[in-house]
Amino acid sequence: MTSHLISIRDLGTAGIERILGLSDHFLEVSSRRIPKVPALRGKTIAWLFWEDSTRTRLSFETAAKRLSADTLNFSVSSSSVKKGESLRDTVETISAMGIDAIVVRHGSSGTPHQITQWTDASIVNAGDGWHEHPTQALLDSYTITRELGPLAGRRIALVGDIKHSRVARSNVWAFTMLGASVTLVAPATLLPPSLEGWPVEVTEDMDAACADADVVYLLRMQLERQHEALVPDLREYTARFGLTSARARALGDDTLIMHPGPMNRGVEIAADVPDLPRAVVTNQVANGVVTRMAVLYELLGSGADLPTDAEVEASV
Amino acid sequence: MSEIVIKGGTLVDRSGERRGDLAIEAGRIVAVGDDLSGSTVLDADGCIVTPGLVDLFPALGQPGHEESETLETAARSAALAGYTALVAAPTSSPVVDNASMVRDVLALGASTACDVHVAGAITVGAAGERLAPVGEMAALGVRLFTDGDSGVQDDRLMRRAMEYAAGLGVTLAQHCENAALSEGGHMHEGARSAMLGVPGVPAEAEELMVMRDVTLARLTGCRVHFRRLSTAGSIGIVRAARGSGMAITADVTAHHLVLTDERCETYDPVYKVTPPLRTDDDVAALRAAVADGVVDAVVSDHCPHELHQKECPFDQAPPGVVGLETAPSVLLTEVGLAPTALVQQLSVGPAALAGLADTHGGTLEPGRPANIAVLDPTQTWLVDPASLASRSRNCPFDGWSLRGKARHTINNGEPTVIDGEAQR
């Protein structure tokens, strides 16, 4: 059976923990003199990004190359998709080339799930609409684990535009499945229309949420949504929900500051805050490569043990 | 000896149920009784024999979307379910918004397996900007006017349309959806849309326009019909308005009586419809409204799309399902209506709304035009979209085992279906 990563919930708690464990191995691989293993030699992975995302694509590409997979980029903007080709035709075309995995980014929720019916390749969701971004949740969970140890019992404040956020829709599940408690901090205009079934607390009191938190996770304020009148203006948003310098100074000594990027410095996060020692935004990026190595290995690997450094050196 | 005798069935019409044969000659019912004989005998043993079914506002593809449906294929599909009259939605391409277009569509429909009538657009191009020549269409017998998927948004224009329509004695049929609240939405707004990350259409978008139009109907005295109501709140508003004596009517679709937004969890665009599939509570309210007659008709809301148009992301797919061939069976199987209630909702009610009471609905008695459906309520069949007579396959009941099928259908005395086989 072909395996996919569409939703973080597909993995279950055990699956997430397995990926985090594998990530430790790949962190070690990444620190080697030659940070490359032949684990996926002969496998071909295609990037199918309907929506631009240079950072996510580069992270996946780095991960794939360190695993010795062949990669190819189906550049949607210059392809037949622009000429009106249907989703099904695009996927069947790529699939016919003998691809082992397709990493999909799409602006419409559900697209990675739909695609699974038209291909035998493994589908990895690299972000779909407002729905999910499971590898972001894995790299965030891994980052917290590396900095604070296991998530169980930790309190995480997820701040900002939850409504339109695929990051939030994956992180809420990953964090809570790993035993953390999650508080959403946002005005009602930035929350989903219903939170029925979401294992979260909700508050509009940013100061109270920060006082309590082991992690303050800021979501990007989507400036292009300004015309939707979701908040009166950015100044008021920053005052009520931004991680201002004053709020950052008041955080506990061990409280992590996280952001999935790209940041709007001066809006959801004050300009100097990302440079504080407890802000781990670049660690998140680095951990993205190793957790994505773990995901690709989990989906495409043979299950054989990873070669040691010496074996790799001998084979080069 | 008559031309055709329908033998051994249970006759069901608005006067009730009784056993009997029914004889047809020269397009009319000539006798009802026992042991009638005819040159063609259609066996109705175990069947209910009803006035032919009538569907309001199906989209029939033609003109403009012949690749997805034609009047011929739609009428054949309808006849196979027992329909004998269709009142086509005006949202063809071009839109039926003037007398010339009305004549064109009526001419195209003349040789099909059903009586094809047409609803007119309320506004030019159904664009919601200026009033269409409703009078010249009414003069050709058009009784129902609607702007299709886009309810008339402008309050003042809707008031004017109602004032004008009231003078002509025609009915304005509204698809209720406040565009400012529904814009960008693709499924019911609620717990499921929140989880799936799909932008939603709140129930209140529909209810606001139902409220507005009830208010404007009171002001203008216009007969207003609400199309495909989908929320418990809308039903409540209509129930109250009717209770106060207003001439408000309404329909619901067969699929909204059965399916909920849970279906959207697969992101399969076949479940994307307008209005969106709602919740269990809404389904319960719609069913109650059908049972107690707050709703006057159950419609198919037939809306054909080619396969490739639905092989795309959920939020990019056009809304709509094909329904003519399945709607009566869905009602029989899933909603469990008594035969008299079924005939009320699928024939008597819609015939009265469309001004077709002279030829449809009514009673099965000598002298009436022979538009008749012989439905076998026990026959089970497996829905396979590829084998429907419709040119399109966007059917949400793929693989369902449904009960009830038309054994024979008679349109103006001519069999259009015999033993489940289309004749035209």
Side-chain angles (χ1 to χ4, degrees):
Chain A
M1 202 186 104
T2 312
S3 47
H4 308 291
L5 178 58
I6 307 295
S7 161
I8 194 72
R9 279 178 283 175
D10 298 344
L11 287 172
T13 306
I16 295 173
E17 284 170 346
R18 196 166 58 245
I19 298 280
L20 299 186
L22 268 175
S23 299
D24 279 334
H25 286 290
F26 289 113
L27 186 67
E28 184 270 316
V29 167
S30 295
S31 67
R32 294 176 186 177
R33 194 171 63 79
I34 299 172
K36 187 162 175 146
V37 288
L40 297 187
R41 195 155 59 190
K43 302 285 186 184
T44 307
I45 303 172
W47 320 121
L48 187 47
F49 277 46
W50 273 274
E51 193 181 74
D52 286 339
S53 176
T54 309
R55 53 178 63 215
T56 302
R57 194 173 61 72
L58 285 181
S59 177
F60 267 109
E61 186 135 10
T62 307
K65 293 204 153 113
R66 286 186 184 170
L67 293 168
S68 305
D70 295 315
T71 65
L72 47 95
N73 183 33
F74 191 95
S75 175
V76 172
S77 57
S78 60
S79 75
S80 47
V81 174
K82 275 265 158 82
K83 298 168 191 158
E85 186 175 67
S86 79
L87 196 59
R88 177 182 176 175
D89 289 338
T90 304
V91 171
E92 288 185 344
T93 301
I94 296 177
S95 196
M97 296 173 192
I99 302 295
D100 298 293
I102 306 176
V103 178
V104 179
R105 162 71 68 105
H106 202 292
S108 299
S109 299
T111 306
H113 176 83
Q114 286 176 278
I115 283 174
T116 58
Q117 67 186 307
W118 297 311
T119 178
D120 293 330
S122 287
I123 300 296
V124 180
N125 182 1
D128 63 327
W130 306 350
H131 177 227
E132 283 224 33
H133 195 353
T135 58
Q136 180 74 44
L138 292 168
L139 75 89
D140 288 333
S141 298
Y142 189 59
T143 301
I144 297 169
T145 307
R146 297 262 307 147
E147 300 293 331
L148 301 180
L151 271 72
R154 295 294 182 178
R155 287 159 303 190
I156 301 174
L158 202 51
V159 187
D161 185 356
I162 312 291
K163 176 175 179 165
H164 304 103
S165 176
R166 51 183 163 232
V167 174
R169 280 185 184 75
S170 285
N171 275 351
V172 161
W173 298 106
F175 294 165
T176 54
M177 283 194 288
L178 293 172
S181 60
V182 173
T183 300
L184 306 181
V185 189
T189 49
L190 295 178
L191 288 172
S194 164
L195 288 171
E196 191 185 320
W198 293 48
V200 296
E201 302 280 316
V202 183
T203 181
E204 295 199 14
D205 187 340
M206 178 67 168
D207 293 307
C210 284
D212 221 20
D214 297 306
V215 178
V216 176
Y217 194 110
L218 304 159
L219 293 165
R220 194 173 82 86
M221 188 63 182
Q222 299 184 336
L223 303 181
E224 61 273 21
R225 295 193 181 279
Q226 267 306 93
H227 70 279
E228 292 178 38
L230 297 166
V231 293
D233 60 26
L234 292 177
R235 200 173 60 91
E236 175 158 327
Y237 176 78
T238 303
R240 293 191 65 202
F241 300 101
L243 187 60
T244 58
S245 300
R247 284 194 180 114
R249 275 197 305 276
L251 291 176
D253 291 343
D254 294 330
T255 300
L256 294 185
I257 298 166
M258 298 177 71
H259 193 296
M263 293 181 284
N264 298 303
R265 289 196 193 224
V267 182
E268 68 268 6
I269 188 163
D272 57 341
V273 171
D275 306 318
L276 296 175
R278 301 308 290 159
V280 291
V281 180
T282 51
N283 307 42
Q284 290 172 265
V285 176
N287 290 331
V289 174
V290 297
T291 46
R292 285 172 178 132
M293 287 172 82
V295 166
L296 294 175
Y297 181 77
E298 174 79 0
L299 292 177
L300 299 179
S302 61
D305 284 344
L306 292 173
T308 63
D309 200 7
E311 286 165 350
V312 174
E313 296 232 3
S315 71
V316 191
Chain B
M1 197 161 87
S2 305
E3 291 166 23
I4 299 172
V5 165
I6 298 171
K7 210 159 184 58
T10 301
L11 309 183
V12 181
D13 59 20
R14 71 168 183 221
S15 65
E17 295 184 34
R18 61 205 180 281
R19 304 273 310 178
D21 301 344
L22 191 149
I24 296 164
E25 232 174 76
R28 291 188 179 270
I29 300 171
V30 291
V32 176
D34 296 327
D35 300 323
L36 302 180
S37 60
S39 49
T40 301
V41 175
L42 300 178
D43 174 38
D45 189 35
C47 292
I48 56 175
V49 180
T50 83
L53 311 185
V54 179
D55 198 37
L56 300 180
F57 314 115
L60 303 181
Q62 212 175 358
H65 303 289
E66 289 80 359
E67 66 290 343
S68 63
E69 196 78 286
T70 64
L71 292 174
E72 185 189 342
T73 54
R76 185 177 301 135
S77 191
L80 284 165
Y83 289 99
T84 54
L86 305 174
V87 182
T91 43
S92 49
S93 181
V95 170
V96 179
D97 60 1
N98 60 62
S100 161
M101 281 302 302
V102 170
R103 283 194 204 92
D104 282 358
V105 176
L106 294 182
L108 283 169
S111 56
T112 69
C114 289
D115 290 359
V116 173
H117 301 274
V118 67
I122 299 170
T123 66
V124 174
E129 286 166 7
R130 54 202 175 89
L131 197 56
V134 173
E136 70 174 32
M137 291 187 273
L140 292 176
V142 177
R143 282 286 158 278
L144 294 169
F145 292 85
T146 179
D147 265 10
D149 280 4
S150 50
V152 178
Q153 299 295 319
D154 186 279
D155 303 337
R156 187 166 66 168
L157 179 59
M158 194 60 198
R159 175 192 174 170
R160 295 287 177 246
M162 283 196 196
E163 288 170 341
Y164 198 74
L168 290 166
V170 298
T171 301
L172 296 191
Q174 187 87 290
H175 162 72
C176 289
E177 185 177 310
N178 179 298
L181 286 186
S182 70
E183 193 184 350
H186 300 282
M187 65 176 286
H188 172 65
E189 179 181 292
R192 288 205 172 88
S193 72
M195 207 71 95
L196 294 170
V198 174
V201 177
E204 289 73 13
E206 176 175 305
E207 292 155 10
L208 265 186
M209 192 175 277
V210 174
M211 280 184 205
R212 182 199 71 174
D213 286 356
V214 166
T215 305
L216 291 177
R218 195 176 285 126
L219 173 71
T220 60
C222 183
R223 275 208 298 271
V224 171
H225 175 79
F226 293 119
R227 293 180 55 190
R228 48 194 181 183
L229 293 181
S230 68
T231 80
S234 296
I235 295 296
I237 298 163
V238 170
R239 193 183 293 278
R242 286 173 76 125
S244 74
M246 294 183 70
I248 299 277
T249 55
D251 67 58
V252 299
T253 83
H255 44 275
H256 282 94
L257 293 172
V258 177
L259 306 175
T260 68
D261 63 347
E262 186 179 0
R263 298 275 159 184
C264 301
E265 287 179 358
T266 61
Y267 295 97
D268 185 340
V270 80
Y271 300 112
K272 182 174 174 182
V273 289
T274 300
L277 299 174
R278 303 283 186 186
T279 66
D280 287 330
D281 289 346
D282 296 305
V283 166
L286 298 187
R287 287 187 178 205
V290 168
D292 64 18
V294 166
V295 158
D296 305 83
V298 175
V299 301
S300 76
D301 200 27
H302 189 75
C303 186
H305 292 295
E306 287 182 282
L307 202 57
H308 71 86
Q309 292 179 288
K310 290 273 194 180
E311 288 177 337
C312 63
F314 193 85
D315 60 7
Q316 292 172 18
V321 296
V322 291
L324 281 168
E325 211 162 327
T326 51
S329 306
V330 167
L331 277 187
L332 276 164
T333 312
E334 301 288 333
V335 183
L337 281 188
T340 46
L342 185 84
V343 171
Q344 178 63 36
Q345 293 292 338
L346 292 177
S347 180
V348 179
L353 287 167
L356 304 178
D358 288 347
T359 57
H360 284 80
T363 51
L364 296 169
E365 59 187 17
R368 293 279 298 173
N371 291 305
I372 292 159
V374 180
L375 306 176
D376 181 348
T378 59
Q379 187 192 341
T380 58
W381 60 293
L382 197 64
V383 181
D384 172 14
S387 58
L388 298 176
S390 169
R391 230 174 230 196
S392 289
R393 300 177 184 181
N394 50 313
C395 169
F397 301 109
D398 187 4
W400 287 44
S401 178
L402 295 180
R403 223 166 3 84
K405 194 97 176 83
R407 186 182 291 180
H408 318 296
T409 308
I410 315 284
N411 179 217
N412 294 316
E414 297 291 329
T416 54
V417 174
I418 296 177
D419 291 326
E421 296 293 327
Q423 305 297 302
R424 274 197 242 164

